[in-house]
Amino acid sequence: MPPVNSDGAGPSSGEDGSAAAVKKRNRPKYHRFTQQELQACKPILIPQTVILVLVFVGLIFIPIGLACIAASNKVVELVDRYDTKCVPRNMLRNKVAYIQNSSIDKTCTRVFKVPKDMKKPIYIYYQLDKFYQNHRRYVKSLNDMQLRNPKKVADTQYCSPEATANGRPIVPCGLIAWSLFNDTYSFTRGHGNETLRVNKDGISWKSERNRRFGKNVYPKNFQNGTLIGGGQLNPSKPLSEQEDLIVWMRIAALPTFRKLYGRIDMDLQAGDRVEVTMQNNYNSYSFNGKKSLVLSTAGWLGGKNAFLGRAYAIVGLACFLLALLLALLYFVFPMREEHLSLHYIPARLVR
């Protein structure tokens, strides 16, 4: 038999060895963390445990919900929509012409009847509907540096289309400031016998007064264009003291929103007659919007809103119903011990 040529097997064996060495070098270092072999708690949720947890959640959520509903019910709130009721009858079909005609007197009188005692402070809000302050172009139409830095008053970048008027920069610029709400309210109790003073101090956030709006930035060239948007500003007061503007420029997330107008630091008794004299100046008719005046007290959860309490109560009741359903299923179809085991026989061993 001829001798076997060993030279042919040498290179093949060497290549296998080098490939194995490369593969071994590329293999990641073994660690229990990377291999997900760390000790872990793997609880088995038996029916008794789930039922107890659901009952516990229900016992916690239902009292919280009832407490929130009770707090909301204690808040006294008066709401009056006045946008259509303050328009003369002969102009109800042409409201835009009415609001844009400066020669027409916009004074309007409304009367509130207090149903329950209202303890001070009584907060005054104006409410707008169908006003999309969250529109992208509206939100971006301002310059924050101009609002707080007196050296940047000429910077009107991003303020289009209300950046300049008559060739000069507008301070504050942008659509948000330009559309400032300008309806006004004054209050009397009885038949005009007692004036209820409206306090506007501190209606804005302190952080906005100190940081967002500058103490040395004053309104300039504001509402001097061909198209007037909303209210005027006092040119002798810095922006940090123009609290109506500060409140208005805090953007609302939804098309229906309320903003704080002021507060009355006097108690109102049940049966009191409150007369409101308002100037219906703001144009909400061009976009078919609504305007309302709101008088409200406040509780430990804020204003009148039963949603949070109802949500807690509904979730608590749902947990009770699920616990009852699971208890019935558990008694009708009891679980055996083998149902709770994590060890299963592989299919190949069964064969």
Side-chain angles (χ1 to χ4, degrees):
M1 180 180 293
V4 179
N5 187 1
S6 61
D7 295 338
S12 176
S13 176
E15 291 176 359
D16 293 342
S18 62
V22 171
K23 185 176 181 181
K24 187 173 182 181
R25 286 199 304 269
N26 291 339
R27 179 182 298 174
K29 184 179 179 181
Y30 171 80
H31 195 277
R32 295 181 65 189
F33 177 77
T34 58
Q35 298 301 318
Q36 299 184 10
E37 294 179 357
L38 293 176
Q39 293 183 356
C41 178
K42 299 178 181 179
I44 302 174
L45 296 178
I46 60 176
Q48 297 93 321
T49 303
V50 176
I51 292 171
L52 289 176
V53 170
L54 290 174
V55 171
F56 177 76
V57 172
L59 290 174
I60 296 297
F61 273 46
I62 289 180
I64 293 177
L66 295 177
C68 293
I69 293 174
S72 176
N73 291 337
K74 289 182 180 180
V75 174
V76 183
E77 182 179 277
L78 307 177
V79 182
D80 179 54
R81 179 186 171 186
Y82 64 90
D83 57 291
T84 56
K85 296 176 182 178
C86 286
V87 179
R89 291 185 178 181
N90 61 334
M91 302 200 73
L92 284 174
R93 296 185 178 181
N94 198 354
K95 301 173 186 175
V96 176
Y98 154 77
I99 201 69
Q100 291 179 346
N101 190 341
S102 59
S103 63
I104 300 178
D105 185 17
K106 304 299 192 304
T107 304
C108 178
T109 301
R110 304 291 299 163
V111 176
F112 284 97
K113 195 73 172 180
V114 180
K116 299 179 181 179
D117 292 346
M118 300 180 71
K119 300 297 182 181
K120 63 180 182 181
I122 300 170
Y123 296 97
I124 308 168
Y125 300 91
Y126 55 87
Q127 177 176 311
L128 291 177
D129 293 76
K130 297 183 181 180
F131 193 109
Y132 291 84
Q133 272 199 321
N134 58 351
H135 190 282
R136 183 180 63 87
R137 187 176 181 185
Y138 186 88
V139 171
K140 293 177 64 177
S141 184
L142 83 162
N143 191 312
D144 284 312
M145 290 298 296
Q146 186 202 52
L147 296 176
R148 62 174 174 264
N149 191 345
K151 298 180 180 179
K152 297 288 185 178
V153 292
D155 186 359
T156 58
Q157 187 180 12
Y158 312 121
C159 289
S160 178
E162 292 299 322
T164 59
N166 303 319
R168 295 179 297 159
I170 300 174
V171 183
C173 64
L175 285 173
I176 306 176
W178 174 79
S179 60
L180 174 64
F181 186 81
N182 61 339
D183 283 5
T184 60
Y185 314 105
S186 59
F187 300 83
T188 57
R189 179 159 54 180
H191 295 273
N193 301 328
E194 181 182 3
T195 300
L196 301 178
R197 178 178 172 272
V198 178
N199 185 2
K200 286 178 170 287
D201 294 336
I203 62 174
S204 61
W205 293 353
K206 183 178 179 180
S207 59
E208 291 183 326
R209 295 195 300 269
N210 294 341
R211 299 179 183 178
R212 190 181 181 191
F213 295 84
K215 297 181 179 180
N216 296 315
V217 181
Y218 293 83
K220 295 179 182 178
N221 201 29
F222 187 69
Q223 301 289 20
N224 287 338
T226 56
L227 185 62
I228 304 301
Q232 298 283 345
L233 295 176
N234 187 348
S236 63
K237 294 176 62 176
L239 295 185
S240 61
E241 297 179 11
Q242 310 262 6
E243 297 204 50
D244 286 328
L245 174 70
I246 297 173
V247 171
W248 176 256
M249 293 194 69
R250 190 187 314 132
I251 298 300
L254 300 175
T256 298
F257 58 86
R258 294 178 180 179
K259 291 184 181 289
L260 186 60
Y261 179 83
R263 62 181 179 270
I264 299 173
D265 294 323
M266 294 179 63
D267 294 337
L268 295 179
Q269 306 299 323
D272 280 352
R273 181 181 184 273
V274 178
E275 188 174 289
V276 186
T277 303
M278 58 183 67
Q279 291 294 323
N280 184 27
N281 299 318
Y282 199 70
N283 184 6
S284 63
Y285 309 105
S286 297
F287 54 90
N288 294 323
K290 303 175 184 178
K291 294 189 294 185
S292 301
L293 175 63
V294 181
L295 298 181
S296 176
T297 58
W300 59 273
L301 275 179
K304 192 178 187 66
N305 188 351
F307 172 77
L308 182 63
R310 291 172 182 172
Y312 269 105
I314 290 173
V315 172
L317 289 174
C319 289
F320 271 132
L321 292 177
L322 286 175
L324 179 61
L325 179 61
L326 287 177
L328 292 175
L329 291 176
Y330 175 69
F331 285 113
V332 176
F333 305 103
M335 296 186 68
R336 301 177 182 177
E337 186 176 353
E338 56 267 23
H339 294 159
L340 305 177
S341 177
L342 293 178
H343 302 287
Y344 297 95
I345 302 176
R348 63 176 181 272
L349 297 181
V350 175
R351 297 177 184 174

